[in-house]
Amino acid sequence: MVSSQWRWSPTTLLFLSLSLLTIPTLTTALDFVPNAYSYCIKYYGSVSASISLGEGWLGKNYNNTITCPTSWDFPTLKGATLTLCPPESNPGGKGPFYAPDARGLAIDAKLEFRHVAGILEKPIDHLALTDFLITNGSVKVPDGKPAVLAPHDWSRSYIGPQWSINGTEESIVSEPKRSGGGVSLYLDCANLSNKQRGSDYCGTGEDEDVGGCWRSQTFVFNMQDRMNFSIGFHNFEAEATVFAGQDWVYRNGTNMGTSEVVLTFAGRRELPSVVDYDFWINSEMNYESEKEDLNDQFRLEEDATGMPLFLNATQSGEWFDTANGTFSVLSGANRGGVAGKGVVVMWASMVVFVGWYLV
Ligand SMILES: *[C@@H]1O[C@H](CO)[C@@H](O)[C@H](O)[C@H]1NC(C)=O
Ligand SMILES: *[C@@H]1O[C@H](CO)[C@@H](O)[C@H](O)[C@H]1NC(C)=O
Ligand SMILES: *[C@@H]1O[C@H](CO)[C@@H](O)[C@H](O)[C@H]1NC(C)=O
Ligand SMILES: *[C@@H]1O[C@H](CO)[C@@H](O)[C@H](O)[C@H]1NC(C)=O
Ligand SMILES: *[C@@H]1O[C@H](CO)[C@@H](O)[C@H](O)[C@H]1NC(C)=O
Ligand SMILES: *[C@@H]1O[C@H](CO)[C@@H](O)[C@H](O)[C@H]1NC(C)=O
Ligand SMILES: *[C@@H]1O[C@H](CO)[C@@H](O)[C@H](O)[C@H]1NC(C)=O
Ligand SMILES: *[C@@H]1O[C@H](CO)[C@@H](O)[C@H](O)[C@H]1NC(C)=O
C-alpha cells in the first residue's frame, strides 16, 4: 500500500517535534512581534489647568463696560488617562518614527482627556499629548530632541522606584496641522459653571467679533510653539505637568500676545469604581471594557540600570526593558511546557536594527 509509505514513523515524529522545538523557535525569534499592546500600563485620573493671558487682553470687553480677567483657573475634571507602553505598540501612531523598524525609542506615553470626542463642551477639552519621541537620552535623531526617560531619585520613598519623562516641543513628531489633529488642548471659560466663573467676565460672541475679552483657545502642540512637560510615575501612580505658550491671533492679524497654560494630571492604576460617575461621564472609555482589558499582570520594576522594566508579574515573567528596548519572551518550547523551565530567548531584534534615521 502506497499510503503506508507515508505513515509517520516514530522517528519522523521525533524529528518533527524536534523541528517544532528548534527551527520555529529560531524563526519566530526573528519574526515574532510581541503583542506589546498588552504590556501597556494605564493610570486613571483627572486634569486641571490654569491660563494666564497675553497683554492684548488687558483691556475691556466689546462694549467697553467690563474689565477683562487676565487669567483663568479651570477646575479639576476626572476622566483623564495616562498610558505607558513599549514603543512599538502605538497603534494610532503616525509618522516615520512609528514605522515598524523605528528603533531606539524607550517607551510610548499618551496623556488624554476627551481626546476623541468631536464636541467641545467642557472647560478643559480635547487634550492629547501623544506622538512624541522618548528615548533614554543617548539616542540621536536628525530633527528635534526626544523627551528623556530617566530614573528619579526615590531613595527616601517607600513607594519604590520612580521615573520621569521630561520633554519639550522638540520631541513632538506629529504634523502640526493634521486635520482633527492629535496633539492639542482646548480651554473655554464659557463652559465653566456660574459658581466656577464667579464674577469674572468670560468673552462672548461679540467679544470675538469686534474684539474684547478672551473666551476660548485651542493649543496645538507642535514643534514651533514653546512647551515643556514632565511626567512622573511609579508602579501605582503618575502625575504630569505641561507648560505651553501660544499666541492668540485674530483673523485680521492682530496678536493679543501669548497665552500661557499650565495643565496638571494626577492618576492611579486602580480602575475607578463603576459608580465613579464623575470619571466615567467624562471618559471616552467604558467601565466594562476597561475592566476586561485591565492590565493587572504587569508591574513596573527597576532593571539593573535603574530604568523601568515592564514585568509580567505572573509566573511567565515576560518583560520589556525600556533601557535598551528589549523584550524577553519565553521560548516556544518552554511555553508549551515541554522543555525545562526558565529558558528565555532574548529578542535582540529590537536593538539589532537601528533605523537609518535614528543613527
Ligand atoms: C455691555 O456688555 C455686557 C456684557 O455682554 C452687558 O451685560 C451690558 O448690558 C452691555 N452694556 C451696554 C451698555 O451695552
Ligand atoms: C460649552 O460651550 C459651548 C460654546 O462655548 C456651548 O455651545 C455649550 O453648550 C457649552 N456646554 C456646556 C455643557 O456648558
Ligand atoms: C524632570 O522634571 C522634573 C520636574 O521638573 C524634575 O523633578 C526631574 O528631576 C527631571 N528629571 C530629569 C531626569 O531631569
Ligand atoms: C482685528 O480684529 C479685532 C477683533 O475684531 C479688533 O479688535 C482689532 O482692532 C482688529 N485689528 C485691526 C488692525 O483691524
Ligand atoms: C517650562 O516652561 C515654563 C514656562 O514657560 C518655564 O517656567 C520652565 O522653566 C520650563 N521648564 C523647563 C524644564 O524648561
Ligand atoms: C502574562 O502572564 C500570563 C500568565 O502567565 C499570561 O496569560 C499572559 O499572556 C502574559 N501576558 C503577556 C502580555 O505576555
Ligand atoms: C539607550 O538606548 C539605546 C536604544 O535602545 C541602546 O542601544 C543604548 O544602549 C541605551 N543606552 C544606555 C546608556 O542605556
Ligand atoms: C537589555 O537589557 C537586559 C537587562 O535588562 C539584558 O538582559 C539584555 O541582555 C539587554 N539586551 C541587549 C541587546 O543589550
Side-chain angles (χ1 to χ4, degrees):
M1 298 270 285
V2 174
S3 66
S4 73
Q5 303 275 344
W6 297 96
R7 217 176 270 151
W8 289 354
S9 71
T11 322
T12 316
L13 280 176
L14 179 63
F15 172 77
L16 277 175
S17 31
L18 279 177
S19 332
L20 281 172
L21 288 178
T22 53
I23 297 164
T25 303
L26 293 177
T27 328
T28 50
L30 298 173
D31 299 343
F32 181 67
V33 178
N35 184 13
Y37 188 73
S38 51
Y39 286 55
C40 294
I41 284 176
K42 206 183 254 186
Y43 301 86
Y44 302 90
S46 55
V47 285
S48 63
S50 63
I51 187 168
S52 85
L53 303 170
E55 59 286 354
W57 301 105
L58 299 184
K60 301 269 190 180
N61 73 328
Y62 71 95
N63 66 12
N64 217 20
T65 60
I66 300 168
T67 303
C68 298
T70 57
S71 65
W72 286 95
D73 288 326
F74 296 91
T76 301
L77 296 170
K78 286 189 180 183
T81 55
L82 173 75
T83 313
L84 301 177
C85 300
E88 275 209 326
S89 62
N90 185 346
K94 296 272 157 40
F97 293 102
Y98 290 103
D101 57 356
R103 310 299 177 197
L105 303 180
I107 198 170
D108 180 64
K110 283 192 188 66
L111 178 60
E112 294 166 292
F113 177 66
R114 299 172 48 81
H115 172 187
V116 183
I119 306 161
L120 300 169
E121 55 179 18
K122 300 288 174 187
I124 306 171
D125 220 317
H126 209 290
L127 166 66
L129 178 57
T130 62
D131 292 0
F132 57 97
L133 304 181
I134 308 168
T135 69
N136 59 15
S138 59
V139 177
K140 296 264 179 297
V141 302
D143 300 310
K145 209 164 147 247
V148 175
L149 169 67
H152 189 71
D153 177 28
W154 59 279
S155 47
R156 277 188 294 273
S157 151
Y158 62 93
I159 291 160
Q162 298 174 35
W163 301 275
S164 63
I165 298 170
N166 292 356
T168 68
E169 70 277 5
E170 290 189 86
S171 64
I172 290 170
V173 289
S174 66
E175 299 144 45
K177 302 231 161 62
R178 203 161 88 199
S179 59
V183 191
S184 63
L185 165 66
Y186 177 77
L187 297 177
D188 188 342
C189 57
N191 286 91
L192 291 167
S193 69
N194 288 337
K195 190 163 154 255
Q196 291 160 346
R197 200 188 301 179
S199 55
D200 286 338
Y201 177 86
C202 176
T204 61
E206 286 102 328
D207 290 273
E208 294 199 328
D209 291 344
V210 304
C213 298
W214 182 91
R215 180 173 79 174
S216 66
Q217 188 161 357
T218 299
F219 290 79
V220 178
F221 302 141
N222 57 50
M223 285 193 96
Q224 283 78 49
D225 287 294
R226 185 164 48 84
M227 71 102 94
N228 67 52
F229 57 89
S230 176
I231 299 169
F233 62 100
H234 57 71
N235 187 43
F236 308 103
E237 292 173 352
E239 54 186 38
T241 307
V242 181
F243 294 92
Q246 214 153 81
D247 288 2
W248 205 109
V249 186
Y250 276 107
R251 264 187 226 104
N252 61 14
T254 298
N255 189 329
M256 305 298 273
T258 310
S259 300
E260 309 262 2
V261 60
V262 184
L263 177 117
T264 57
F265 164 86
R268 9 182 344 124
R269 284 186 65 182
E270 242 163 77
L271 187 65
S273 134
V274 67
V275 295
D276 190 342
Y277 191 65
D278 287 345
F279 184 92
W280 295 109
I281 196 158
N282 287 341
S283 169
E284 299 185 306
M285 306 158 293
N286 73 66
Y287 176 81
E288 307 305 330
S289 58
E290 283 303 303
K291 190 168 173 22
E292 204 157 285
D293 292 349
L294 190 66
N295 185 357
D296 48 10
Q297 289 173 331
F298 275 74
R299 203 160 65 198
L300 286 172
E301 287 206 346
E302 230 180 356
D303 77 354
T305 66
M307 292 287 272
L309 184 83
F310 289 77
L311 175 71
N312 193 338
T314 67
Q315 72 202 37
S316 59
E318 292 93 343
W319 50 257
F320 170 77
D321 192 352
T322 58
N324 60 13
T326 308
F327 283 93
S328 84
V329 176
L330 293 172
S331 74
N334 193 41
R335 250 195 256 167
V338 181
K341 282 196 175 136
V343 182
V344 172
V345 175
M346 296 300 175
W347 301 96
S349 60
M350 277 294 286
V351 285
V352 164
F353 191 119
V354 176
W356 55 271
Y357 36 73
L358 282 181
V359 178

